[in-house]
Amino acid sequence: PPRSTLFPYTTLFRSLLPARDQELIRLVVWEELSIAAAGRVIGINPGTARTRYARALGKLRLAYSAIDS
């Protein structure tokens, strides 16, 4: 999609998630690292990374579903 259509989503992404969770998602989605590897990059253990990733995705899904409905 054009960059301009992504703006509301990126703003929401930044407002909902702490910087560390944003970086975790960026590493997994854009850099294609595993969740465990991304966790190691940001200095947290794999179990914590999986938990943070799942919670962050849950927040984003809920927020995006409210926008799309």
Side-chain angles (χ1 to χ4, degrees), residues 23-35 37-38 53:
E23 182 66 4
L24 180 64
I25 289 176
R26 187 191 71 75
L27 290 168
V28 172
V29 174
W30 283 289
E31 302 299 330
E32 298 181 354
L33 295 179
S34 69
I35 296 171
Y53 187 79

Side-chain angles (χ1 to χ4, degrees), residues 31-65:
E31 302 299 330
E32 298 181 354
L33 295 179
S34 69
I35 296 171
R40 285 191 294 275
V41 168
I42 63 171
I44 58 177
N45 74 47
T48 301
R50 284 188 287 277
T51 299
R52 284 181 165 271
Y53 187 79
R55 287 180 182 163
L57 286 184
K59 283 182 184 178
L60 292 173
R61 282 187 188 115
L62 185 63
Y64 292 151
S65 69

Side-chain angles (χ1 to χ4, degrees), residues 10-18 21-22 56 59-64:
T10 57
T11 302
L12 182 62
F13 177 79
R14 290 185 178 146
S15 68
L16 281 176
L17 301 177
D21 291 350
Q22 292 175 35
K59 283 182 184 178
L60 292 173
R61 282 187 188 115
L62 185 63
Y64 292 151

